[in-house]
Amino acid sequence: MVLVVAAATVLPFGCYSQTASYQAMSDVPTKIEFERSGGFAGVTLSVVIQLDQLPEEEAQHLRGLVQNAHIFELQSPPRSPDQADAFQYTLNVHTQNNSKTLTFDESNISAEAKPLIQILTKYAKAQRRSAQ
Amino acid sequence: MNRNSHNGRSPLTCIVPDHILRHLAERGTARQKDWAMKTLITTARLRGHREVLQTFAESLLPAGEKRRTIYDAGHKEKLPGKLVRGEGSPATGDKAIDEAYDGAGATYDFYWNVYKRNSVDNKGMRLDSSVHYSEDYDNAFWNGKQMVYGDGDGEIFDRFTKSIDVIGHELTHGVTQFTARLEYSGQSGALNESYSDVFGSLVKQNHLKQTAAQADWLIGVGLFTPNVKGVALRSMKAPGTAYDDPQLGGKDPQPDHMSKYVKTSSDNGGVHLNSGIPNHAFYLVATQLGGNAWDKAGRIWYVTLTERLQPTSEFQDAATLTYKVAGELYGTGGAEQNAVASAWDKVGIKVS
């Protein structure tokens, strides 16, 4: 099931122009699947975002964050040793003909990917709120 | 002065290497300790070695005396944050700071009074905690060196210091790190989680002076806000029944039997889910034996964790080893060993 969230209240806009630098239409992200699992509570938080179903400004902002995070060039980092109860983040970004899955734990998210993870967490929480 | 030219030796004595001085400072006779400490602190002052001073400070403290420091992360993610309360200093009035301090104290006292364990490393390691970590942060974790607590998001979760078993749980990750070193994924990860729940619950039961029959066997009571339909995060008595709320994706997903083992790549292979199986086994042993759960059931589990389990141990290993340890501690074929075998059998694991 695909759930689309309109969460205008959580969005700090301001990166609209960045999608202009995608090389080709086929490189532009179309769908993002996001999951936060683990943590002490072990409660999973997730959301699937179809970018073409979001208001254009939100979609542009997310495309910019995906690009800044260099998702398609990254590899999942090794798990941090001796850490327990940290959140595990799984991110699956789709383009027209490609997709990439990455897994992080909260201590090894790259600085570039962090804003994307943060905003996806907000989308997932907005969806959780709507499940009330 | 070229530090390397001393090859790790103290420049003053130039005879006894630092590691031997440290050993003497920790384990020597009273006279040796005194001499070794003086030498270490003098050379530390000369060379500015903080690490040596740390060893010195630890060895000065008699076993059984705890050292706690609480930091305020100020809603940022930089650790540890600002020092706000040290050992022996009065309550601050900030609930998270004071609960982290009291909970770390109750956990230290539990391990010392019941199992004669001197802090997580059994060498009197200082217990550091950071509170008010990040924003709307609905988690608590052990980062390999210290505990970290969030204030919750206020929607689903309240602050994570609210429940004493959470504090016992996090510190037990430290104990596991210094003993069995159970790898944090799959079955060994679920065992790691289960040991933290078991001893977290025992810290609470010990603090409340409850017998196995009186205890609620719940993990994280009080962490949910009133918006959530649930009594706690996990139930050792009845895994899978702690909550049922659409905001949390429905029902508590913990299994209570091997036939319901969850295969997943999330949560490092379901370490917080499948821990329900060994959690329930412990509950069954403790309630079968009666009395205080930390006395017999807890001791069997403690010896198994600290002396027998290996980093890649799985549920079957934990079952076999707790069974052996029960026989060694309380007699082969006795009520304790039979209770262990019967408990594992009820969760779908045979021991012999």
Side-chain angles (χ1 to χ4, degrees):
Chain A
M1 186 172 68
V2 173
L3 289 148
V4 176
V5 180
T9 52
V10 301
L11 291 174
F13 298 116
C15 302
Y16 311 160
S17 62
Q18 282 160 351
T19 46
S21 55
Y22 278 105
Q23 297 281 310
M25 272 308 285
S26 58
D27 295 336
V28 177
T30 53
K31 183 170 86 167
I32 304 172
E33 294 167 277
F34 170 78
E35 181 193 80
R36 187 189 79 182
S37 63
F40 175 84
V43 171
T44 298
L45 190 64
S46 64
V47 69
V48 178
I49 298 171
Q50 292 284 2
L51 282 110
D52 62 2
Q53 293 177 30
L54 283 183
E56 186 50 25
E57 308 90 276
E58 288 186 34
Q60 291 259 31
H61 184 59
L62 276 174
R63 288 182 201 116
L65 291 177
V66 169
Q67 193 174 38
N68 289 350
H70 305 289
I71 294 298
F72 285 86
E73 291 94 72
L74 282 181
Q75 298 300 320
S76 297
R79 215 184 62 75
S80 314
D82 297 333
Q83 189 163 267
D85 292 327
F87 286 128
Q88 176 183 314
Y89 295 96
T90 303
L91 191 60
N92 189 359
V93 178
H94 301 257
T95 64
Q96 238 169 46
N97 349 312
N98 207 352
S99 82
K100 177 71 179 263
T101 303
L102 287 171
T103 301
F104 305 95
D105 67 49
E106 57 189 306
S107 68
N108 62 22
I109 302 171
S110 66
E112 292 84 5
K114 200 153 194 175
L116 177 65
I117 300 285
Q118 282 171 336
I119 203 157
L120 292 170
T121 304
K122 287 183 180 174
Y123 274 103
K125 283 193 173 179
Q127 177 176 298
R128 180 172 72 184
R129 229 168 274 137
S130 68
Q132 218 165 353
Chain B
M1 183 169 66
N2 181 355
R3 194 188 294 167
N4 294 331
S5 66
H6 295 288
N7 295 323
R9 289 170 186 234
S10 123
L12 280 192
T13 60
C14 290
I15 296 165
V16 184
D18 281 357
H19 71 273
I20 294 181
L21 285 172
R22 284 179 212 195
H23 180 79
L24 287 173
E26 284 170 34
R27 308 272 169 84
T29 63
R31 211 174 143 195
Q32 286 170 334
K33 274 185 176 177
D34 187 49
W35 172 78
M37 283 175 193
K38 275 182 186 152
T39 310
L40 277 169
I41 201 164
T42 312
T43 57
R45 194 181 299 138
L46 284 175
R47 289 190 276 163
H49 276 189
R50 280 188 169 188
E51 185 202 346
V52 175
L53 287 167
Q54 172 83 359
T55 306
F56 177 76
E58 279 172 9
S59 53
L60 264 181
L61 204 72
E65 288 190 25
K66 53 197 169 278
R67 288 186 304 142
R68 291 163 284 180
T69 43
I70 314 294
Y71 298 86
D72 185 341
H75 302 287
K76 299 205 162 47
E77 294 185 359
K78 196 169 170 359
L79 291 172
K82 185 181 151 207
L83 178 65
V84 286
R85 193 171 174 193
E87 187 62 45
S89 67
T92 61
D94 177 314
K95 282 181 186 166
I97 294 171
D98 296 336
E99 286 165 350
Y101 182 88
D102 293 341
T107 305
Y108 179 95
D109 292 343
F110 167 78
Y111 274 109
W112 175 252
N113 293 334
V114 179
Y115 305 120
K116 282 288 168 285
R117 182 174 193 84
N118 183 12
S119 191
V120 294
D121 63 348
N122 203 17
K123 290 180 183 170
M125 180 174 149
R126 199 177 71 193
L127 303 176
D128 288 353
S129 317
S130 295
V131 299
H132 302 310
Y133 178 77
S134 191
E135 285 177 32
D136 295 331
Y137 188 69
D138 36 13
N139 196 18
F141 67 96
W142 168 260
N143 79 346
K145 292 173 184 158
Q146 66 160 100
M147 294 152 281
V148 183
Y149 302 99
D151 289 334
D153 54 18
E155 291 176 23
I156 305 286
F157 291 104
D158 204 333
R159 64 182 185 282
F160 275 70
T161 48
K162 209 173 167 185
S163 188
I164 193 173
D165 43 298
V166 177
I167 296 170
H169 176 110
E170 295 310 330
L171 277 169
T172 300
H173 281 307
V175 173
T176 300
Q177 180 183 325
F178 284 99
T179 55
R181 299 194 60 78
L182 289 160
E183 284 178 12
Y184 204 67
S185 71
Q187 286 202 12
S188 58
L191 281 176
N192 190 324
E193 271 304 310
S194 176
Y195 274 96
S196 274
D197 277 352
V198 163
F199 289 105
S201 181
L202 292 183
V203 166
K204 177 168 119 175
Q205 293 174 31
N206 185 263
H207 182 68
L208 298 173
K209 300 186 170 55
Q210 289 176 329
T211 63
Q214 292 163 335
D216 62 15
W217 296 97
L218 295 168
I219 302 295
V221 172
L223 259 57
F224 284 138
T225 64
N227 306 331
V228 176
K229 291 184 192 74
V231 290
L233 290 167
R234 292 184 277 279
S235 168
M236 299 176 70
K237 182 177 181 174
T241 66
Y243 60 82
D244 189 355
D245 191 306
Q247 299 174 95
L248 302 173
K251 203 169 144 296
D252 166 10
Q254 276 212 316
D256 61 359
H257 190 275
M258 282 307 278
S259 61
K260 302 178 204 164
Y261 187 90
V262 182
K263 287 194 176 123
T264 174
S265 61
S266 299
D267 183 24
N268 294 296
V271 298
H272 292 87
L273 302 182
N274 293 314
S275 54
I277 296 166
N279 275 1
H280 192 53
F282 181 81
Y283 160 82
L284 290 169
V285 175
T287 47
Q288 171 69 34
L289 295 177
N292 295 323
W294 58 85
D295 282 339
K296 287 182 173 176
R299 185 167 299 278
I300 295 164
W301 253 241
Y302 178 76
V303 170
T304 306
L305 175 69
T306 56
E307 297 175 21
R308 305 298 160 86
L309 287 167
Q310 299 293 314
T312 56
S313 292
E314 301 203 332
F315 290 1
Q316 182 66 57
D317 303 307
T320 306
L321 291 168
T322 47
Y323 180 76
K324 281 188 180 160
V325 168
E328 287 162 19
L329 290 174
Y330 303 108
T332 306
E336 296 80 5
Q337 197 178 35
N338 290 338
V340 171
S342 152
W344 286 110
D345 187 51
K346 282 184 185 147
V347 301
I349 298 169
K350 297 258 180 253
V351 292
S352 51

